[in-house]
Amino acid sequence: MAAETASARHRRLRTLGSYAFLTAAAIVILFPIYVTIVNSLLRPDQLVEQPPPLVPTSPQWHNYVAAWTTGSMSTYMATSAIMTFAIVAGQLVTSILAAYAFAFLRFPLKRTLFVVCLATLMIPLEVTFITNLDTVTSLHWFNTYEGLAVPFLATGFGIFLLRQAFLQIPRDLQEAAQLDGYGHLRFMTRVAVPLARPSLAALGVFSFLAAWNQYLWPLVATGGQTPLNTVQIGLKALLGQQVSQIPISLAGAVIAFVPLLILLLIFQKQLVRSLTAGAVK
Amino acid sequence: MTDIGRAGMDAEGGLEAAALVVETHEAEVEAREAGGDTDKTTGDGAGGALARRRRKEAALAYVLLLPALVLFGVFSFYPFFRNFKLMLYETPPVPGLPARYVGLHQIVPTITSTEFTQSLVTTVIFVVLVVPISLILGLALAVAAHRKLKGIGIYRMIFSSTVVSSVAVASVVFGTLLNPVVGLLPWLGINPTPPALESTTWALPSVALITIWQFLGLSFIIMSAGLQSVPDELLEAARIDGAGAWTRFWRMTVPLLSPTIFFGFVVSTIYAFQAFGAIDILIGNSNAVRLHTNVLIYNIVNTLQVSNNPGAAAIMATVLFLIMLGLTVLQMRLLERRVNYGR
């Protein structure tokens, strides 16, 4: 009896210890974000107060208004949104089409072409951007939405992921659809795509994250100084050197972070799935 | 694809490893195709109709592949091969003069220049600062969160959260945290002169700190996914046999997790090699410590846009490509060995 209570107490202590460690780690990780939110709601003179305020006693919501309007965050957000949606939509469409061919159709050079698609994953942006900048300029796409989005409308990763999803579709279903007189296009849109929804969601979330957070390409493809700045490049412009500018630039950072936070809250499972697609197995 | 990458990026490294799984699935396709063949021949009978259908099917396949292949051709393969041509041309430092053909003569001077070798050394130091710490922290968090506790989902969400932070957001956040006159640092009495981001000693570690924080989410996600594939019964059996928590971690969890840890190593190394945004935002060209944070990509962008020499930039980009290729091949080799061993 006594031994039992001792082991129960031991277990409770261990659980308590786990919670203590987890909570401490969570606080350390979230601390920078918390300080950012607090500071974004302070007056500039409060920023230099000692000790620093840990709660905004009189939240200065107009910092957010200033970031949104005079700080041009509204324009940056619109640019990022248009670019991101174009890239996500484009990647989904091109990946569905190509993956369908690789999963359901027979044609010469199939294996070679699949390897070609995967090989694009080995070519880093840092190698291609030098020439892509010339290409985009000669197409008169410098500093345009086309220039921002078109180079990223296809992805080897997406083709790979969706092909795997399509291969999971049972053969019986294909045969039944064929007997019902379904052609390939109808089978693709009515059966294959709906059944591959989880993978489509994973790809969509991954593309969104990658596109929204791009830095190098939007910087060079717009020259970084023009109205067509994405949120990431805009934040750089917003980051002032004066203390008076700090709360506004922090408000801008919070605004830029919110869409992705929502994305994480809704699609955590899909995001994890796509990020670990190559990790396990 | 991006900085995430870079997320990606890094995140993006994950994509590179994805190529490995192909072979396994190739077999599946073969099986399906073989099945398809017999079905059709028995059903069709007439050879001409079958050939016609085959041709139609192939034509449809090429049409479906066309958009992706055209985009890959224009924006991936053409620039990749043109890079080798660019390496042969030198642009004079005086603006307006055309690039001239110098053959292979530009390559050796470029990769032996002090600017490039220093940049390479800086990058390696940066990678060494970022990779081990973010992997160890990610593993520690994953092990801690790998328990059935009430509310563990919230902790997992928090630990993964930095995966969605962009390099610009992280830079603005940490730029303020490291600010010498604002907030915590002056209050804690930490008041270095020059401030961290202007110090030749501390600028690079500061950028590394930002990168570690940003990568921690992905590191946690990767390690957690690996842990989930470790059978609980195995650890439970070891526990019953009297193995302590520490022994179980080092003798069982770590060896069983070694493929995951290695995957994380490759992804984070590729991620760290591609660092650019935080340095562009927080250090910039005007800062005196620029030379101490001049990582490879920063140097490439500067060579292209400030020195205006695409040839030299292409040479440096090729070196970066070879480093990443080497890492990916290493990853494939080791995974292959594991797979063969497992069978």
Side-chain angles (χ1 to χ4, degrees):
Chain A
M1 211 53 192
E4 206 171 296
T5 49
S7 94
R9 196 181 307 144
H10 178 75
R11 198 172 309 146
R12 192 166 340 131
L13 261 177
R14 266 195 47 186
T15 308
L16 215 66
S18 291
Y19 275 122
F21 178 80
L22 290 168
T23 308
I27 289 172
V28 170
I29 289 171
L30 289 183
F31 179 74
I33 298 173
Y34 179 73
V35 171
T36 301
I37 293 170
V38 170
N39 285 351
S40 72
L41 292 168
L42 295 180
R43 288 193 313 272
D45 63 287
Q46 288 176 297
L47 279 176
V48 290
E49 261 174 34
Q50 310 276 318
L54 278 179
V55 187
T57 39
S58 53
Q60 308 289 305
W61 295 108
H62 62 82
N63 289 339
Y64 280 80
V65 178
W68 188 255
T69 54
T70 48
S72 304
M73 280 304 285
S74 55
T75 338
Y76 302 149
M77 290 287 275
T79 306
S80 273
I82 295 170
M83 175 193 79
T84 302
F85 282 117
I87 291 177
V88 172
Q91 291 195 348
L92 285 175
V93 171
T94 57
S95 301
I96 288 172
L97 298 181
Y100 187 89
F102 286 126
F104 293 111
L105 301 175
R106 280 160 310 163
F107 53 94
L109 291 177
K110 180 163 160 177
R111 191 188 281 251
T112 314
L113 288 174
F114 190 59
V115 171
V116 163
C117 287
L118 287 183
T120 58
L121 297 174
M122 306 283 251
I123 306 175
L125 176 72
E126 290 73 22
V127 170
T128 56
F129 88 99
I130 302 172
T131 292
N132 282 350
L133 205 52
D134 290 344
T135 308
V136 159
T137 308
S138 62
L139 289 166
H140 302 290
W141 283 354
F142 184 76
N143 204 11
T144 65
Y145 284 113
E146 289 91 331
L148 283 175
V150 174
F152 303 98
L153 292 186
T155 154
F157 172 63
I159 294 171
F160 170 78
L161 197 74
L162 294 187
R163 172 179 169 274
Q164 259 183 309
F166 286 153
L167 287 176
Q168 309 284 321
I169 294 173
R171 273 198 59 76
D172 304 351
L173 215 58
Q174 242 185 298
E175 275 155 25
Q178 248 164 29
L179 288 176
D180 280 350
Y182 273 43
H184 277 294
L185 288 182
R186 219 156 113 205
F187 181 69
M188 173 164 59
T189 51
R190 302 271 176 88
V191 182
V193 167
L195 283 176
R197 256 197 321 246
S199 292
L200 286 169
L203 174 61
V205 174
F206 181 86
S207 304
F208 189 101
L209 178 65
W212 185 270
N213 283 347
Q214 277 203 95
Y215 189 81
L216 178 59
W217 180 252
L219 181 74
V220 295
T222 62
Q225 306 254 310
T226 44
L228 211 60
N229 280 344
T230 64
V231 163
Q232 313 304 333
I233 313 302
L235 277 182
K236 182 189 176 189
L238 203 60
L239 186 66
Q241 299 301 314
Q242 285 87 20
V243 170
S244 63
Q245 184 69 23
I246 288 177
I248 296 170
S249 65
L250 292 176
V254 174
I255 293 172
F257 191 53
V258 164
L260 292 182
L261 203 63
I262 295 170
L263 190 80
L264 180 72
L265 289 173
I266 302 175
F267 294 109
Q268 192 189 13
K269 207 179 275 172
Q270 287 83 354
L271 190 62
V272 167
R273 222 177 88 106
S274 60
L275 288 173
T276 53
V280 186
K281 277 273 161 65
Chain B
M1 204 182 338
T2 74
D3 234 69
I4 153 208
R6 303 334 282 148
M9 293 49 293
D10 353 70
E12 276 126 54
L15 318 184
E16 270 145 41
L20 311 175
V21 198
V22 179
E23 282 309 311
T24 344
H25 285 269
E26 233 24 86
E28 235 170 89
V29 183
E30 299 294 302
R32 176 176 294 211
E33 277 170 6
D37 279 345
T38 43
D39 281 356
K40 292 224 167 104
T41 33
T42 46
D44 258 35
L50 179 67
R52 208 174 314 125
R53 245 174 72 183
R54 281 258 167 113
R55 261 203 308 277
K56 243 180 92 179
E57 196 174 322
L60 176 65
Y62 294 132
V63 170
L64 295 181
L65 287 174
L66 194 67
L69 290 180
V70 168
L71 286 162
F72 288 152
V74 176
F75 295 108
S76 289
F77 292 110
Y78 166 65
F80 178 73
F81 290 112
R82 182 163 174 264
N83 218 43
F84 293 107
K85 192 188 146 195
L86 284 176
M87 285 162 55
L88 309 177
Y89 290 84
E90 190 183 30
T91 311
V94 189
L97 289 179
R100 64 193 175 94
Y101 180 82
V102 291
L104 299 174
H105 291 294
Q106 192 179 203
I107 294 174
V108 173
T110 303
I111 58 178
T112 54
S113 69
T114 17
E115 198 192 345
F116 182 72
T117 50
Q118 270 180 5
S119 164
L120 203 58
V121 169
T122 306
T123 312
V124 170
I125 294 173
F126 182 77
V127 170
V128 169
L129 285 173
V130 169
V131 172
I133 297 178
S134 50
L135 289 184
I136 290 168
L137 290 180
L139 181 60
L141 289 179
V143 170
H146 189 65
R147 299 193 56 189
K148 288 191 181 70
L149 292 173
K150 217 175 265 172
I152 198 73
I154 297 166
Y155 289 105
R156 300 182 138 269
M157 174 74 86
I158 292 171
F159 296 162
S160 332
S161 66
T162 69
V163 77
V164 295
S165 70
S166 71
V167 68
V169 169
S171 300
V172 172
V173 166
F174 277 84
T176 311
L177 279 179
L178 294 170
N179 191 303
V181 292
V182 168
L184 279 178
L185 287 191
W187 181 59
L188 293 172
I190 304 170
N191 204 351
T193 28
L197 288 170
E198 289 162 37
S199 143
T200 50
T201 320
W202 291 107
L204 195 66
S206 301
V207 178
L209 173 73
I210 298 169
T211 312
I212 290 168
W213 182 78
Q214 237 201 307
F215 190 75
L216 192 56
L218 185 57
S219 178
F220 169 76
I221 289 173
I222 290 173
M223 297 298 183
S224 291
L227 270 183
Q228 265 149 27
S229 67
V230 173
D232 284 336
E233 304 85 56
L234 223 58
L235 293 171
E236 188 56 24
R239 200 179 66 82
I240 290 166
D241 282 350
W246 196 245
T247 318
R248 268 178 288 147
F249 177 73
W250 283 112
R251 294 288 174 79
M252 305 204 61
T253 310
V254 169
L256 284 168
L257 219 56
S258 58
T260 307
I261 295 172
F262 190 73
F263 173 78
F265 168 77
V266 171
V267 173
S268 59
T269 307
I270 290 175
Y271 187 84
F273 262 106
Q274 288 177 305
F276 170 73
I279 291 159
D280 184 53
I281 292 171
L282 292 175
I283 311 286
N285 260 333
S286 52
N287 198 315
V289 299
R290 191 187 83 77
L291 280 179
H292 297 266
T293 57
N294 189 23
V295 292
L296 265 182
I297 304 229
Y298 199 80
N299 197 30
I300 293 172
V301 174
N302 257 341
T303 307
L304 183 71
Q305 302 214 307
V306 180
S307 316
N308 195 23
N309 190 354
I315 293 170
M316 297 173 191
T318 304
V319 173
L320 184 76
F321 165 72
L322 290 175
I323 292 171
M324 291 192 189
L325 186 70
L327 281 166
T328 316
V329 169
L330 191 71
Q331 150 100 3
M332 281 185 178
R333 279 276 168 79
L334 284 164
L335 269 189
E336 225 165 67
R337 211 163 68 195
R338 172 176 73 111
V339 171
N340 292 341
Y341 182 72
R343 277 177 189 168

